[in-house]
DNA sequence: AATGAATGAGGCTTCATTCAT
DNA sequence: GATGAATGAAGCCTCATTCAT
């Protein structure tokens, strides 16, 4: 297995186990075994257990930011950017449904005082929104509030969908959410 | 110290320590010491560590539900119920600012698979909203989505406020949030 | 077993195992097992492994200093103090023959940078010697050199005896050593 | 780098690291890195970690024996052989001051039960002394005691000098030590 | 009921050693 | 011969939980 493949395997195993059983209950030995490598190999790639979780968080966030921007750019006019963005985010969430619990796994991370998860997403939302304000498309509200509430609405939508994660529901939830976004932020 | 006072002391200690250092890093001995009781006494009142956290969650949620309903009832007409409700929630959050991190501490609870935190709040929000729909005051949208998104908006607002938890900001954040609620849910 | 008995048992076990197998090769589990207690109990009495060794060092040194002074005081006149002192030290060494290797176990003690073993003995030797100088019985030489060399001579004598630790040899070694001390330090 | 240069580099690195941090805390990877070679190369030259330490001990001892004999031979008459020998030993010790802690690193060597460090020096001392006895220059005392105590006196002198390792002190310590040797062993 | 000493399973992490490249 | 990634056994230590006093 090439070194990159090993890193990939370890992250995949950790992602699955952390999401399934929780961070603390999962042992580094569990991760190594599930990845098909030795414990020592995990430690050569990630200095310790918190770092492994941090790497997963980072990657997950990068993916969400990526699809979010992609979706946003699909919409031609400003109000029409919401729907494709939300669809894109939910698509990613659907694809990675079983690892979504990772999002809740920050506070108990040992020594994570400085790790600010979701910050990249919140900042990205703030930027996209500000562009819309500059373009005269969105109402001018407090940008901090906007970013946090905007992000939270997506989170809430995802949790709503999680109560019944089927395709028909996906349509209902994303459409409702897009409508709420429009009502909330569009002039 | 009477048994009730002991229970109170233990919960207060645990609340503070869990919030400050995280659930896993806090030991039962830490809790006992901070509460001024013996470890055995903690175990006589709470069967195990997860139960202690669950009790804290439950109490915190009950408090939030209480002030939320109280605030809601302060508003005379339906659209005017949002602002006092939000103010009440934020007041409670401000009062208990340092224990808010407890909210993030559910996923990693050992064996907590079946513990659904915030459910009482989400259900209460759903009920209040449904009343408003029945009264013809609110738009009819998917109630699941509504409840989750409504709750998430409050969470997001709280997080926004946490970035600068001062009294002037409190006003800005609550007013903005009330406005977003009105735009989102009022007919 | 009373708490003090537990401490005694742990120290006895550690002393024997460290001396027999070396410090690093001996595990805390070995010590606990040999002492008939749980690992956790060892850790309640000694914060970590180096502390356990340090406690042994301290006790061993205190014992040696005790018998050394006792022996010294047995001698009436100054030159006659050497022989009983040396006999006393060797008596103690004979009694604890199998733990003498502990003396060599300082350098590799993790984080022992500040632990100065034998310092109490060296200082005691310096003091006894200085008294003799003040009384006009001993030659005046550099006290630092005196103390270190005096201590080393005892060490060397002990090692010489260790090559054949029998009672007849004990007599030969202690008498020779006393003679060397007299020649070296007496006016 | 030729194989011999590699051996030299590894020993130099190990010597420095063992002396600085201790034997157990130093890893074979540390040694390899400091020597600028791969771990595997260390293992091609030294079968395992204890062997590496043994090689260092052996070399250090050979050096001391070498300078000791050289110094000894500088003295014309028997009593005058002590001073140059001691000066030579201390010169070597001064040159290699920072690696002197290696001397303390024998007992904890894993599986070193059979390794008797300093034996070459002690035997050499015994031989030189016996020659002096045969030549009628030294008092006849137990040779085992003589050798061990003689060696220990040098050790003690070195430790005394270590408490203030300056050139002026060097003179004081070596002269005092030579005097003690003369008093102790010369007829 | 209260106490806190005792227990020991189990986690994280290290590192000597090997061996495929 | 050289490299250094891989291995996995094993150690230190923690801490939830129990139970004798």
């Amino acid at each position: 297995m090439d070194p990159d493949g090993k890193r990939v395997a370890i992250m995949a195993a950790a992602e699955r186990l952390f999401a399934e059983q929780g961070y603390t209950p999962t042992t580094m030995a569990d991760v190594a075994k599930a990845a098909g490598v030795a414990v020592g190999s995990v430690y050569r790639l990630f200095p310790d257990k918190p770092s492994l979780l941090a790497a997963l968080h980072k990657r997950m966030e990068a993916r969400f930011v990526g699809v979010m921007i992609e979706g946003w750019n699909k919409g031609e006019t400003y109000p029409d950017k919401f729907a494709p963005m939300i669809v894109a985010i939910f698509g990613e969430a659907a694809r990675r449904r079983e690892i979504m619990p990772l999002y809740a796994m920050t506070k108990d991370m040992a020594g994570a005082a400085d790790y600010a998860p979701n910050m990249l997403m919140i900042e990205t939302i703030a930027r996209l929104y500000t562009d819309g304000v500059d373009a005269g498309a969105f109402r001018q509200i407090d940008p901090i509030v906007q970013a946090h509430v905007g992000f939270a609405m997506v989170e809430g939508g995802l949790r709503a969908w999680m109560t019944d994660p089927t395709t028909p529901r996906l349509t209902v939830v994303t459409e409702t959410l897009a409508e709420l976004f429009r009502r909330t932020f569009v002039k």
Side-chain angles (χ1 to χ4, degrees), chain A:
Chain A
M1 196 190 292
D2 70 300
D4 229 44
K6 195 163 282 194
R7 189 183 190 86
V8 167
I10 291 167
M11 289 182 78
E15 197 164 48
R16 184 169 60 77
L17 291 173
F18 287 167
E20 271 173 16
Q21 337 175 343
Y23 172 73
T24 304
T26 300
T27 73
M28 290 300 261
D30 289 344
V31 172
K33 194 170 181 186
V37 301
V39 196
S41 297
V42 178
Y43 277 89
R44 227 180 44 77
L45 264 2
F46 304 91
D48 50 23
K49 203 183 174 192
S51 304
L52 179 52
L53 178 55
L56 295 177
H57 273 153
K58 207 162 184 173
R59 185 177 66 175
M60 181 163 53
E61 194 168 31
R63 283 174 176 161
F64 270 104
V65 168
V67 301
M68 181 173 72
I69 291 176
E70 206 176 352
W72 182 262
N73 289 335
K74 272 197 190 135
E76 297 290 321
T77 64
Y78 265 102
D80 292 346
K81 286 172 174 297
F82 283 124
M85 178 189 79
I86 288 165
V87 168
I89 290 176
F90 273 71
E92 174 70 12
R95 237 189 329 280
R96 319 219 178 254
R97 181 139 56 90
E98 53 295 325
I99 64 166
M100 294 303 289
L102 279 185
Y103 257 124
M105 234 164 259
T106 66
K107 191 61 214 172
D108 214 32
M109 238 177 90
D114 56 343
Y115 184 64
N118 303 328
M119 249 325 157
L120 187 58
M121 268 201 88
I122 290 176
E123 279 163 12
T124 306
I125 291 175
R127 189 162 52 71
L128 297 180
Y129 166 74
T130 306
D131 289 352
V133 171
D134 292 348
F138 297 154
R139 298 192 306 122
Q140 173 107 41
I141 62 176
D142 186 283
I144 305 275
V145 175
Q146 184 286 323
H148 277 94
V149 172
F151 176 70
M153 287 171 73
V154 175
E155 274 193 312
L158 283 169
R159 289 196 296 246
W161 176 57
M162 289 291 167
T163 65
D164 177 20
T166 56
T167 309
R169 279 298 286 167
L170 189 60
T171 313
V172 174
V173 174
T174 52
E175 282 181 3
T176 309
L177 205 54
E179 158 76 2
L180 296 183
F181 262 85
R182 271 191 303 271
R183 286 185 153 257
T184 312
F185 297 117
V186 176
K187 248 188 183 156

